[in-house]
Amino acid sequence: MPASTVAADRSRTFGRRVARRGDATGRTARRRNTAHRNTAHRDTAHRDTIRREWLRAIVGSLTLWAISRALVTAIAMTTLQRTRGAALGGRPFTALLAQWDSEHFATIAADGYFPAAADDPGLPAFFPGYPLLARGTAVLLAPLGTDAALPRALALVAALGAVVAGAFVWRVASTRTGERAGLAATALLFFGPYALFLHASYSESTFLAFATAAWWAGTRERWLLAGVLCAAAGATRVNGLFLLAALVVMSVVSRRRERRGLLGPGLPAVLVGACGTATYLVFLWVRTGRPDAWSHAQAVGWGRTLSWPWDALRTSVFLTHAHPNVSARIQAVFDIGFAALVVVVLAWFVARRSWPEAVLVGLTAASLMTSVSFVSLGRNMLTLFPVPIALGRGAARGDGVGGLVGPVLWVGTLVVGVALLTFQTHQFALGLWAG
């Protein structure tokens, strides 16, 4: 075969090889581009889904809050109209739900913990998160007349906190369960027995906003964010310490589920949550010279000291018939009933091995059942947001025999909650003890 022919064949063979390599390279590039476009499309679709879920949660929370607020306001105004002949009882609208502890929060927001004109050794028992936010809001509302704007600011901060808390309850409950669970859980939050304190000038809604946000962050293993939010909750109520313990357990359980070591970088991040409570306690120590200034304020201002649970129960039973105030006797009965309920809830979480929830409920119950009495135990059920979340999920899944137990339990809880909410709002509007 002539050399020229051989060279031509080799050239053609080489050309075909180059062409095949080019085709293969082109196909690989096209596959990569297609995969990149698919990934980008999935990411965009995922972000759009997340935005829609958050929008539903926010709108749903705002709607349920507005209905709850309308109900509470109507009950309070009807009560005052019938008993005092005026729908607002001679007070401005912002003071309609400002009773009892509201006055202490207003004092702290206006003059701090040690005002010269007030002799109230119990003021340091209230944590600073809520009144500080109200003070800052009042400055924004009326920079030149802050004190006059404080009632509006206290009401506004409470309202915003409630809506935020409702949105996070919705999101946590709906994850892996669906929007029905979010709706059911948020409804139980806003129509529970003591939900009026989500509308009153109290710190519960602000605490719940930070606490539920921290819980949501923890369920997504965003531990530093959870720790920071927990610190804010801890600066609002002492319950932040119980939330911190629950988040630590959540971190450990998460690592154990993934067969990793129990200790990891998430744990120090969560422990940032101790800063809120610690900062306030150090402030009181420096200001008063007492390392136990907070517990001292609880004792001298409110008569709260440690006791054995059975002694607290005995005192609570005694108050049901011996307290000189009828409304306080009624609330003592409620506190005992909710104490029994919280024990059942704790046992249920333990049986399901829901350890973070069990820690939060258990520590809250232990702190309230080791005081002089069970006073305010019922109202503190409002801060136990894992309970409506669990009930909402059960209702959406149709837990129980024939899928009926979950929905029936949810409906029963909601009906009882609305009935008690009506009674508690009536009491509170009259200035009677309701917490």
Side-chain angles (χ1 to χ4, degrees), residues 93-173:
F93 181 78
T94 53
L96 179 64
L97 299 174
Q99 303 274 17
W100 297 95
D101 292 353
S102 301
E103 298 177 4
H104 302 296
F105 285 121
T107 298
I108 294 169
D111 303 311
Y113 283 97
F114 306 99
D119 182 18
D120 190 347
L123 277 183
F126 298 94
F127 275 57
Y130 173 55
L132 274 178
L133 285 174
R135 180 73 181 187
T137 303
V139 171
L140 295 176
L141 293 176
L144 301 179
T146 301
D147 290 348
L150 274 176
R152 284 180 290 154
L154 287 163
L156 180 59
V157 170
L160 290 176
V163 174
V164 170
F168 277 106
V169 165
W170 185 300
R171 289 290 289 123
V172 172

Side-chain angles (χ1 to χ4, degrees), residues 145-315:
T146 301
D147 290 348
L150 274 176
R152 284 180 290 154
L154 287 163
L156 180 59
V157 170
L160 290 176
V163 174
V164 170
F168 277 106
V169 165
W170 185 300
R171 289 290 289 123
V172 172
S174 63
T175 301
R176 296 188 301 275
T177 316
E179 297 297 329
R180 288 179 57 193
L183 173 62
T186 310
L188 290 180
L189 176 70
F190 284 133
F191 295 93
Y194 290 91
L196 77 97
F197 292 102
L198 296 176
H199 306 289
S201 298
Y202 272 57
S203 63
E204 274 81 353
S205 60
T206 304
F207 169 79
L208 277 172
F210 291 126
T212 53
W215 197 270
W216 172 85
T219 60
R220 281 149 182 80
E221 298 190 10
R222 299 173 63 177
W223 300 118
L224 181 57
L225 177 60
V228 171
L229 291 167
C230 180
T236 306
R237 289 179 68 90
V238 72
N239 307 56
L241 292 178
F242 314 146
L243 174 66
L244 173 62
L247 290 173
V248 169
V249 172
M250 186 184 292
S251 173
V252 171
V253 168
S254 175
R255 292 185 63 83
R256 186 173 181 179
R257 186 187 304 119
E258 298 174 4
R259 299 186 182 280
R260 295 180 290 170
L262 296 183
L263 302 179
L267 188 57
V270 171
L271 292 176
V272 170
C275 294
T277 301
T279 300
Y280 177 55
L281 296 182
V282 169
F283 160 75
L284 290 181
W285 186 358
V286 171
R287 185 66 175 77
T288 66
R290 297 184 62 111
D292 64 339
W294 180 77
S295 58
H296 178 70
Q298 289 275 8
V300 300
W302 311 103
R304 290 181 179 270
T305 56
L306 287 174
S307 66
W308 293 108
W310 45 88
D311 291 332
L313 175 59
R314 185 182 302 113
T315 302

